[in-house]
Amino acid sequence: MREIAISEFKAKCLALLDQVQKTKKPIRVTRRGKPVAEVVPPSPVRSNDWIGSMQGKSKILGDIISPANDESDWEVLKD
C-alpha cells in the first residue's frame, strides 16, 4: 500500500482521490510516519431497484388471461 505524508495529501487531495478511484488501490495517509487514515476505493453499489430485476428470467406458457379450468367446473355457478 502506498504511503503518503499528510501534508502532501492535503496539497494533492483531489488528484489522489481520482487516482484511488481509477487504480482501485488504497493509499495510507501518515503523520510523522504513523498511519492516520486510509483512502480506499468505494465498494460496489448495490442496486435496490427490484422492479424489473427478473426481466428475461421467466417464460409465459399458454394463456394467462382465461380461467385455469372450464366454467362448467365452477361450483359457484351451479344451482
Side-chain angles (χ1 to χ4, degrees):
M1 180 181 308
R2 179 178 169 197
E3 290 190 2
I4 188 167
I6 198 165
S7 57
E8 185 179 352
F9 179 77
K10 182 178 176 184
K12 301 177 181 179
C13 179
L14 295 177
L16 290 169
L17 292 175
D18 287 339
Q19 178 185 356
V20 168
Q21 183 182 19
K22 288 177 186 174
T23 63
K24 305 290 187 221
K25 294 182 180 177
I27 295 176
R28 180 175 289 141
V29 181
T30 61
R31 178 182 287 144
R32 296 186 185 115
K34 295 183 180 180
V36 176
E38 291 180 357
V39 180
V40 296
S43 57
V45 178
R46 287 184 31 199
S47 175
N48 289 335
D49 187 17
W50 59 271
I51 297 175
S53 64
M54 296 296 291
Q55 182 177 3
K57 303 219 190 286
S58 63
K59 189 174 183 180
I60 297 174
L61 300 174
D63 186 8
I64 62 170
I65 298 173
S66 60
N69 51 6
D70 294 328
E71 291 179 12
S72 60
D73 295 337
W74 296 2
E75 291 190 24
V76 74
L77 296 177
K78 295 181 181 176
D79 283 336

